[in-house]
Amino acid sequence: MALTTYWTTRPRARAETRKLEAEVDRTRAETTKILAEAEMRRPSVAPQDTTPKGWEVSGSVPEDYEVGLDYEVFFAGRASAFIRSRHENPASYASLVQSIKADDYQGTRLQMTARVKARDVVGWAGIWMRVDDANERTMAFDNMSKPDRRISGTVGWRAYSVTLDVPASGAYISFGAVLQRTGQIWLDEVRLNVVDDSVPVTDTYSNFPRRPVNLNFDDGTH
């Protein structure tokens, strides 16, 4: 009985073995094909960084935005820089920024000017400048975020400026442009110039009151 079972089951076992080997060969062939297709899709060189030379990109989720150079839309010269949202719900903001040492501007009033063009900005945009001390504590700052100064919607090339006093203890100056939420802005002709005291500062901190007011809430509303 055992011998009969052996001779009747051996062909079946061989058939099962051949079936498994065929499955292995098919799986190996499919894997090789997938890897070959992936290799064909892989770029031959790493993606090029489109950030303008000398500048950096910052923001909470900067990959939600695209930053680069535009050789067709510019105010002067050969190109402008741009920031634009990649989709309809980008996170927070993206900023194009450059930082320099403050040594040459310590004790002066410094004005940043730039030309900005905007398209379909939902949220706001602006140019900005900040002065930090050696411990990276902010000493002066303005980013045009106030409703009466911010850039929104679609506007043609316009001149904008921010002006800050650079204390003698100022160590670093950072400046650039910012876009919050959707849309696109172009930036061109950025300038830093020392101005005299007749030019008012736009420092956000300079507008803070020197003393607290209306602490018992008896003075009504605005």
Side-chain angles (χ1 to χ4, degrees):
M1 180 65 178
L3 184 60
T4 301
T5 303
Y6 170 76
W7 288 110
T8 57
T9 58
R10 187 170 64 172
R12 189 184 310 152
R14 288 176 178 173
E16 291 293 336
T17 300
R18 287 195 297 270
K19 182 178 179 182
L20 290 174
E21 289 175 348
E23 290 289 343
V24 170
D25 290 340
R26 183 161 53 250
T27 301
R28 184 181 297 113
E30 292 175 351
T31 302
T32 300
K33 181 181 178 181
I34 292 171
L35 291 175
E37 292 175 348
E39 190 66 28
M40 291 176 61
R41 291 193 297 267
R42 185 180 302 168
S44 57
V45 295
Q48 184 178 4
D49 185 359
T50 60
T51 305
K53 182 179 179 180
W55 297 80
E56 301 291 339
V57 179
S58 67
S60 56
V61 187
E63 57 267 29
D64 280 359
Y65 297 83
E66 181 181 0
V67 174
L69 294 174
D70 194 324
Y71 293 95
E72 296 182 357
V73 178
F74 51 85
F75 181 80
R78 297 182 299 170
S80 67
F82 69 85
I83 308 173
R84 64 172 167 240
S85 54
R86 292 183 180 272
H87 50 78
E88 295 182 355
N89 191 30
S92 194
Y93 72 95
S95 179
L96 189 62
V97 54
Q98 186 170 155
S99 296
I100 61 174
K101 292 183 178 180
D103 301 42
D104 293 342
Y105 301 101
Q106 290 171 340
T108 68
R109 180 162 292 183
L110 186 63
Q111 183 177 65
M112 173 195 176
T113 59
R115 298 278 181 169
V116 180
K117 174 183 172 73
R119 183 176 65 195
D120 299 330
V121 173
V122 177
W124 63 276
I127 63 172
W128 63 274
M129 183 165 58
R130 188 184 71 237
V131 181
D132 297 331
D133 65 13
N135 295 316
E136 299 186 355
R137 289 189 297 252
T138 299
M139 309 180 76
F141 175 70
D142 180 26
N143 64 357
M144 291 180 53
S145 62
K146 290 188 175 181
D148 61 338
R149 297 181 61 218
R150 60 179 54 177
I151 303 169
S152 61
T154 298
V155 295
W157 289 107
R158 294 184 185 176
Y160 298 91
S161 66
V162 295
T163 306
L164 303 177
D165 283 332
V166 183
S169 57
Y172 310 104
I173 300 171
S174 299
F175 58 93
V178 59
L179 171 65
Q180 184 188 57
R181 303 303 180 190
T182 59
Q184 179 170 358
I185 61 170
W186 290 263
L187 179 70
D188 206 351
E189 285 208 321
V190 179
R191 300 285 186 269
L192 294 179
N193 296 301
V194 175
V195 296
D196 59 37
D197 291 346
S198 64
V199 180
V201 296
T202 60
D203 184 2
T204 301
Y205 297 160
S206 69
N207 295 320
F208 289 170
R210 295 180 63 88
R211 296 179 178 82
V213 297
N214 197 23
L215 298 183
N216 57 7
F217 308 106
D218 289 340
D219 294 338
T221 63
H222 289 280

